[in-house]
Each structure stands twice: as structure tokens, then as C-alpha cells.
Amino acid sequence: MAEEILQVKGLHKSFGNLHVLKGIDTQVSKGEVVAIIGPSGSGKSTFLRCLNLIEEPEQGQILFNGIDITAKTAKAHEMREQMGMVFQSFNLFPHLNIIDNITLALVKVKKLPRLEAEEIGMKLLERLRLTDKAKEYPGNLSGGQQQRIAILRALAMNPKIMLFDEPTAALDPEMVGEVLDVIKQLAEEGMTIVIVSHEMSFVREVSTRVMFMDEGVICEQNSPEELFKNPTSARTKDFLRKIL
Ligand code: ADP
Ligand code: MG
């Protein structure tokens, strides 16, 4: 059986009176690329944020590598280090240059010596042919470059899973491809990925499973071929008709 990285059982989350996640049950195995699609406000971001405990789930369980990270005794920060997260807005530190952005957590959290951290950072920049940007500040880079740096910053921590929340939604159209290419490369290297994205040709090509969320539940999940060709729920059909 495939090794399960995440198991989610009966996950609920409310903000005040607003019941956003209404019982999510799913699992993610090693090497899977799970794409989450669904209408705005359906709880996709809240779900991702619960997975790495940026939001505290109010009910249910999340097991990460078999460990219940929702247990009172769980060490949230240690677990979070093993999950890379990339948001729609790149969230680089504007006052730090690129190499310092990438190495900050390696030095502060992982306590690596600065030189060792910089070596890791430069190797990552090399992969994307961005070494000449090491001493630049985020504000001098294009959105596509900033988002690729944000991905490198997450990868520097050597995560077991990468979570992406609409990573290309804030980009100018001509920069979407360069960011999706990096994610595709990660997928091909076997990284376990959960990604919210409405870039349907990317989802079709790269994901191993598509999850359709609506009103706080997973309505339907299937291989991209099946889900796009033969959606079973009326809500999935309706959503796909609108966006495809
Ligand atoms: P999606 O990512 O699918 O668009 P979200 O998870 O961002 O959906 O939001 C789901 C619902 O939860 C929305 O109605 C949103 O306004 C609400 N919501 C999200 N985060 C918060 C928050 N921190 N406080 C209050 N309401 C929130
Ligand atoms: Mg969202």
C-alpha cells in the first residue's frame, strides 16, 4: 500500500457562526499531486491552512506521517517545518535580499551555520538559473521570479509535502507558465503536492487526483481524466461548465 503522508478525518472549521469546513475526510499518499478546485468561498484555502495548522481545526483529526498533529501534545512548529506552503501573494520579506529570504528559516529555525545555509540557497537558485538575483531585493524582481523564489524558500527546508494556494492567481499571464513549470518539475521529481489551482490544463496534465470542493465538503474526487470527462455530481458539472 502507498505510504500515507496525510490522513484527514472529520475535519470541521468555523469562523464565528460561519461553518466553513463541514467534515473533510481524505488522505494523501507519498508522491501524489492533488489538485483542489471549486468555487470561491468553498473553503479551499481554509482546508490548506488547517493542514499545516495556520488555522486551528475545531473538530476532527489530521495525521501527518502517522502522527496526530491536532493532538494537544503535538509540536505544531516542528511539523510545520516539514510542510512547505506557497501562497497567492508571494510573501517574501521585502527588507531582505533573495538569498537572505531563502536562508532565514535555515539559520533561525534549523540553526544551520550561515555559510552552509547559503550554499543550500545558492544551489537552489542555480536550479532555476536565478543565481544573479541572490543579492537583489524582492521589489526588483518580477512577480514570476518572486513566486519562484518563494517556492525555493519553502524547498530549502526540505519539506515532505508542498502546499500551494493558487500560486499563479496574482501573476500577470505571461509569468504563469514559468511558475507552473517549477511545480511540474517538483511533481516529476516525486514531491508530494496539494495545490489549489484553476489552471485547468496544468491540473489535467500534472495532478494525479482532482478534488472538487463546494460549501465546505469534498463533493467529488477522481483522476483528472475521469473528473473532467465524467463528473458525477451536479455541482461539479455546473462548476466545470462555468470555467472550462
Ligand atoms: P476559498 O479559498 O475556497 O475561496 P476560503 O477558505 O478562503 O475559501 O474561505 C471560506 C469562507 O471562510 C469564506 O466565506 C471566507 O470569507 C471565510 N473565511 C476565511 N478565512 C476567514 C477568517 N480568518 N475569518 C473569518 N472568515 C474567514
Ligand atoms: Mg482561497
Side-chain angles (χ1 to χ4, degrees):
M1 209 186 75
E3 191 183 328
E4 273 169 0
I5 294 220
L6 278 175
Q7 277 176 279
V8 180
K9 299 176 186 172
L11 178 65
H12 284 259
K13 176 71 185 174
S14 300
F15 296 107
N17 291 328
L18 186 66
H19 195 182
V20 175
L21 299 181
K22 301 173 181 166
I24 305 269
D25 292 276
T26 192
Q27 65 292 309
V28 179
S29 299
K30 196 161 190 253
E32 272 199 291
V33 179
V34 178
I36 304 176
I37 63 172
S40 177
S42 57
K44 305 179 299 296
S45 296
T46 303
F47 176 46
L48 277 195
R49 294 161 65 85
C50 282
L51 287 182
N52 75 350
L53 305 181
I54 299 176
E55 295 290 355
E56 192 185 348
E58 68 180 277
Q59 193 186 315
Q61 263 190 331
I62 300 169
L63 305 190
F64 179 50
N65 285 320
I67 295 167
D68 184 356
I69 62 174
T70 46
K72 291 272 174 288
T73 50
K75 294 178 171 140
H77 58 283
E78 278 179 22
M79 182 281 312
R80 214 178 275 129
E81 285 168 31
Q82 302 176 44
M83 294 191 187
M85 181 134 184
V86 175
F87 303 88
Q88 179 173 326
S89 51
F90 331 123
N91 290 358
L92 295 176
F93 303 111
H95 60 290
L96 295 181
N97 67 26
I98 296 307
I99 190 69
D100 288 347
N101 261 281
I102 295 175
T103 56
L104 185 70
L106 288 175
V107 174
K108 294 270 186 243
V109 180
K110 282 209 170 166
K111 311 286 183 206
L112 290 191
R114 178 165 297 278
L115 277 179
E116 201 176 313
E118 283 187 5
E119 214 170 285
I120 293 172
M122 290 308 289
K123 278 216 184 86
L124 285 165
L125 284 169
E126 238 165 69
R127 275 179 57 166
L128 299 187
R129 289 188 222 94
L130 288 170
T131 44
D132 60 325
K133 305 295 184 209
K135 300 287 176 191
E136 293 277 1
Y137 284 81
N140 295 332
L141 269 59
S142 72
Q145 287 169 337
Q146 288 186 59
Q147 190 62 310
R148 287 186 291 146
I149 300 294
I151 296 173
L152 293 185
R153 181 176 61 175
L155 288 177
M157 297 295 280
N158 201 17
K160 295 206 167 63
I161 186 168
M162 286 286 288
L163 310 174
F164 292 94
D165 193 358
E166 303 208 49
T168 61
L171 294 175
D172 290 333
E174 73 269 24
M175 292 169 189
V176 168
E178 68 193 53
V179 171
L180 293 180
D181 281 348
V182 175
I183 301 170
K184 185 177 165 199
Q185 200 183 321
L186 286 178
E188 284 166 355
E189 289 166 4
M191 177 63 81
T192 309
I193 294 173
V194 180
I195 178 169
V196 178
S197 178
H198 294 113
E199 293 292 335
M200 287 304 156
S201 54
F202 171 84
V203 168
R204 242 179 237 270
E205 186 189 355
V206 178
S207 73
T208 54
R209 173 157 50 111
V210 183
M211 206 179 262
F212 173 70
M213 274 185 74
D214 194 21
E215 296 183 4
V217 295
I218 299 171
C219 264
E220 178 169 358
Q221 46 183 331
N222 216 328
S223 68
E225 299 77 25
E226 275 304 307
L227 190 118
F228 290 123
K229 202 172 359 134
N230 300 312
T232 56
S233 97
R235 287 194 275 175
T236 315
K237 282 179 196 164
D238 186 49
F239 177 76
L240 291 176
R241 196 177 320 117
K242 283 178 189 145
I243 60 156
L244 289 177

